[in-house]
Amino acid sequence: MIYVMSDIHGMYRKYKKMLELIGFSDDDTLYMIGDVIDRGDEPIQILQDMMQRQNVIPLLGNHELMALNALSVISEFIDSSGFLTDESLEFNKDYLLWQMNGCRTTLEGLGKLDTEQRREIIGYMRGFALHKTVSVGKNTFVLVHAGFEDFSKERSFDDYMPDELVWCRHIPDERYSDDDNVFVVTGHTPVQKFTGKPYILHKNNNIFIDCGACMIGGKLACVRLDDFMEYYV
Ligand SMILES: [Mn+2]
């Protein structure tokens, strides 16, 4: 079976509960479509768990992109409480952007690791894909963190810049394909913004799966592509 989750944002216990709920096994595949880190308390624990599993396929979110941009400069200067040891680096613009977006728990987690472990985590995030296309039965699923900014059918998915794929605000009214068997699965924008409720939203062959795992009243959602079964923790 093939599963998709997004926007776990450091909620390690919800992640573990979800793996249990879906009965995730070595025969299954899980696509994690971005924003594993920041906000919630245990982002590094989730990454470390994912790294051990060959059948978890990670995609980049805007939070991982912010982290990678900032960490390319600051990773050597994090102390065990997640503080930067060289204050001049606080004026680094990538770091400031990341700081405004809830980096604290990720920095704290990285600060507790030794240099080698930290390098492994950063290297792992560098390998995150920008988008994936998955065929399941007669259906095709395009997986991407946020959507395709300035979408055009003439443009190949590989022609988009990372920022366009991880930051844009995909709206339910937009339709990406005329083919009824092609679906676009995104996270990034909590469905509460559209419906007010923490449940996966299907519209125009778009599947919005960010149900706000780290928000009050939010849920971690997971969709099974084989049969569109939905799971919530
Ligand atoms: Mn996001």
Side-chain angles (χ1 to χ4, degrees):
M1 300 288 185
I2 299 175
Y3 298 91
V4 188
M5 290 184 216
S6 79
D7 298 84
I8 298 184
H9 279 307
M11 306 300 279
Y12 177 67
R13 273 171 297 171
K14 284 190 178 179
Y15 163 73
K16 292 297 274 188
K17 262 193 192 163
M18 182 60 86
L19 293 181
E20 216 176 281
L21 179 65
I22 64 179
F24 190 62
S25 80
D26 291 346
D27 301 328
D28 299 319
T29 302
L30 168 62
Y31 289 90
M32 191 70 88
I33 64 169
D35 287 3
V36 171
I37 60 168
D38 297 347
R39 307 203 195 283
D41 281 340
E42 299 176 295
I44 302 303
Q45 286 82 343
I46 303 171
L47 289 173
Q48 286 175 325
D49 184 278
M50 289 166 59
M51 286 166 73
Q52 307 305 315
R53 301 173 188 268
Q54 296 299 310
N55 54 341
V56 172
I57 299 172
L59 273 70
L60 193 77
N62 54 313
H63 284 262
E64 286 83 20
L65 183 58
M66 284 187 278
L68 288 170
N69 289 340
L71 288 168
S72 67
V73 181
I74 65 175
S75 70
E76 305 303 321
F77 302 97
I78 305 165
D79 73 13
S80 60
S81 324
F83 288 108
L84 296 188
T85 52
D86 180 342
E87 288 185 12
S88 67
L89 288 167
E90 296 208 16
F91 298 102
N92 171 283
K93 75 173 173 29
D94 291 315
Y95 171 61
L96 288 176
L97 175 67
W98 191 28
Q99 200 179 34
M100 285 189 297
N101 283 281
C103 74
R104 184 183 57 81
T105 55
T106 305
L107 281 182
E108 277 174 11
L110 287 171
K112 295 194 174 89
L113 305 179
D114 63 37
T115 310
E116 187 49 38
Q117 291 169 314
R118 200 180 289 176
R119 210 170 276 151
E120 264 173 34
I121 294 271
I122 296 169
Y124 179 61
M125 288 197 289
R126 279 211 183 96
F128 282 21
L130 288 170
H131 60 83
K132 287 270 177 194
T133 299
V134 182
S135 291
V136 185
K138 64 181 185 357
N139 294 324
T140 299
F141 297 89
V142 179
L143 313 178
V144 62
H145 179 63
F148 297 96
E149 187 156 23
D150 296 326
F151 176 74
S152 153
K153 285 172 188 155
E154 316 304 315
R155 233 173 139 185
S156 131
F157 293 151
D158 291 326
D159 286 343
Y160 292 83
M161 298 297 290
D163 275 342
E164 295 180 289
L165 302 172
V166 303
W167 278 106
C168 78
R169 290 295 170 193
H170 176 198
I171 52 165
D173 292 335
E174 199 159 9
R175 190 170 174 121
Y176 288 129
S177 171
D178 301 324
D179 185 335
D180 284 341
N181 294 122
V182 176
F183 297 85
V184 176
V185 185
T186 54
H188 186 56
T189 305
V191 289
Q192 287 89 330
K193 291 225 164 102
F194 305 124
T195 64
K197 297 192 184 83
Y199 299 103
I200 291 171
L201 170 65
H202 296 257
K203 198 168 178 196
N204 288 320
N205 276 33
N206 301 309
I207 307 176
F208 293 82
I209 66 167
D210 176 7
C211 295
C214 67
M215 294 161 45
I216 293 166
K219 293 177 192 291
L220 174 61
C222 177
V223 61
R224 186 161 71 194
L225 300 184
D226 308 73
D227 56 3
F228 297 87
M229 181 78 183
E230 298 173 5
Y231 300 86
Y232 298 94
V233 166

